Amino acid sequence: MSLSLWQQCLIQLQNNLSIHEFSMWILPLQAELSKKNELALYAPNQVVLDWVRNHYINKIKKLLLHFCGTKAPLLCFKVGSKSPNMTVLKKVLYYNSYINPKHTFDNFIADQSNRLALVAARTVADNPGLIYNPLFIYGPTGLGKTHLLHAVGNSLRQSNTKVVYIHAELFVKSMVKALKNNLIDEFKSYLRSVDTMIIDDIQFFANKARSQEELFHTFNALLEENKQIIITSNRYPQKITGLEDRLKSRFSWGLIVAIEHKLKIDTCVTFLIKKADDKHICLLGEVAVFMANQLNANISELEGALNLVIAHAKFTDSVITIDLVREALRDYLNLSKKLVTINNIQITVAEYYKIKVTDLFSKRRFRSVSRPRQMAMALSKLLTNHSLLEIGDFFGERDHTTVLYACRKIDQLRKENGNMQEDFYNLIKILSS
């Protein structure tokens, strides 16, 4: 019963959570029902246990009540490991399209820098497996590559095509889990059963030989059946170090297109006005032009800045003007004029808290060290374009889940502790000075 019950909970949680939430926090859990009607959920480490208990316990309890009513088992959490349930892994681990319905061709902001990629993506959506196979899109973070992937997926799903979007990091993690639990045949079957496979950030396969081996054979199997493959990366395939030459060669069989780093100002202005309109906010053209010129940012950073401006306007009950933008983005406008690196952040945080920089890389867990480390990670996420995985590497090769936990912990402490909020803003001012 316990296995069946937890399996039902997993399926519901997978449908209600994002792919990253589900794979990062829920999938690592293992369940065991005792004779005393106590459902123990085993987490691989204390970080996962604390996060699940603080953020998902109510969802899990509601599901238990839904499935069991008054006979719902008592829920408890433990750090440890139990033999995973094969049925759960087979049923839940893999299939979900993971396509974000919000990202379509209609709301993609096009300009000269991404027009070729947009045309190629539309062509593939209209003729999957026949033209531009594989389609490889590369360029820096925040310029719309992922949006295009989901737009293709949404277009294909209208014709009941079995399409799967998967981030390269999740591909690797799922494969490792499949190997560990003797489910590699199921994993292979799943990958080769799709009509269109979309893999984001292929550079995460670098130096992972076993995963590259499976990707190579899956790639060949899909192409032999004229099934579509779409891939993105932050750089041209031949420049991805740690990737096998035979994979780079396969990526060149179809079409390779770039999205340029620099977006035109008028594209940024159009994007800002449209995003504001989607939120039912009036953003004057002159204000959008000011933001686009001053920030000189990518699409992701522009949207983050706009959200901050809107929040500032709501909190102060003000109209969005250029002066309000200057006030809301004061520190960010200063930062945009200065190169901020993770090394800068580590040195600044260490000096501020009067610890050694090497403490930030160490395994020490004393609060006098762990809290500054979490602050440095949170600032690195906010002020640089590095991914969670890359940030973790800068802090003693820590896992990306540790970085995400640090960011959320600092965000929580800023709301609860005035001193933490003051430290946060003081450090931003120091870095922008």
Side-chain angles (χ1 to χ4, degrees), residues 114-362:
N114 58 35
R115 197 171 303 281
L116 180 57
L118 174 59
V119 171
R122 282 187 177 277
T123 302
V124 164
D126 293 337
N127 305 277
L130 301 178
I131 304 176
Y132 308 148
N133 196 19
L135 173 61
F136 191 106
I137 304 173
Y138 73 94
T141 300
L143 298 185
K145 300 189 302 296
T146 300
H147 186 133
L148 278 180
L149 295 183
H150 288 287
V152 174
N154 279 309
S155 178
L156 290 173
R157 289 177 72 190
Q158 294 177 10
S159 59
N160 295 320
T161 298
K162 188 175 182 181
V163 52
V164 168
Y165 164 90
I166 185 168
H167 190 276
E169 188 177 4
L170 181 58
F171 182 109
V172 173
K173 182 185 294 185
S174 297
M175 181 179 162
V176 169
K177 188 178 290 290
L179 285 168
K180 179 180 178 181
N181 296 298
N182 198 28
L183 290 170
I184 193 61
D185 289 338
E186 286 82 358
F187 182 72
K188 292 178 180 179
S189 298
Y190 160 72
L191 290 177
R192 298 172 194 188
S193 69
V194 303
D195 299 311
T196 297
M197 184 170 67
I198 301 173
I199 303 179
D200 206 357
D201 286 332
I202 200 73
Q203 69 272 10
F204 282 99
F205 275 89
N207 301 315
K208 297 178 174 65
R210 185 65 182 84
S211 297
Q212 290 186 42
E213 177 77 17
E214 180 53 40
L215 177 62
F216 176 78
H217 293 298
T218 297
F219 195 100
N220 289 339
L222 292 176
L223 288 185
E224 285 177 3
E225 297 184 24
N226 293 322
K227 295 183 176 181
Q228 183 67 48
I229 300 172
I230 311 173
I231 300 167
T232 70
S233 174
N234 63 353
R235 67 200 71 178
Y236 187 73
Q238 300 300 328
K239 294 184 178 180
I240 303 176
T241 57
L243 205 61
E244 295 179 3
D245 288 340
R246 59 178 180 170
L247 277 175
K248 296 177 182 179
S249 174
R250 295 296 191 278
F251 298 158
S252 302
W253 283 4
L255 178 66
I256 300 175
V257 293
I259 296 182
E260 303 297 336
H261 181 71
K262 182 70 174 178
L263 294 175
K264 286 187 175 182
I265 293 298
D266 58 349
T267 302
C268 295
V269 170
T270 301
F271 173 80
L272 289 168
I273 293 175
K274 188 177 188 309
K275 280 295 179 181
D277 186 60
D278 291 342
K279 301 175 186 292
H280 306 292
I281 299 294
C282 177
L283 186 69
L284 297 177
E286 63 182 22
V287 177
V289 170
F290 174 79
M291 291 180 64
N293 275 298
Q294 292 296 314
L295 292 170
N296 191 29
N298 62 42
I299 290 294
S300 297
E301 292 168 349
L302 283 174
E303 185 169 7
L306 177 63
N307 290 336
L308 184 58
V309 168
I310 292 174
H312 190 84
K314 288 182 177 179
F315 292 152
T316 59
D317 194 23
S318 305
V319 177
I320 298 178
T321 63
I322 291 178
D323 287 339
L324 182 136
V325 171
R326 283 198 180 100
E327 174 63 23
L329 301 180
R330 180 178 63 249
D331 294 325
Y332 294 94
L333 293 177
N334 288 333
L335 283 167
S336 68
K337 300 174 184 177
K338 173 185 172 67
L339 178 63
V340 178
T341 66
I342 293 181
N343 288 332
N344 297 150
I345 293 170
Q346 289 172 333
I347 293 170
T348 302
V349 169
E351 291 178 350
Y352 185 86
Y353 287 106
K354 296 180 173 55
I355 63 174
K356 297 177 181 179
V357 174
T358 52
D359 289 335
L360 299 176
F361 316 140
S362 72

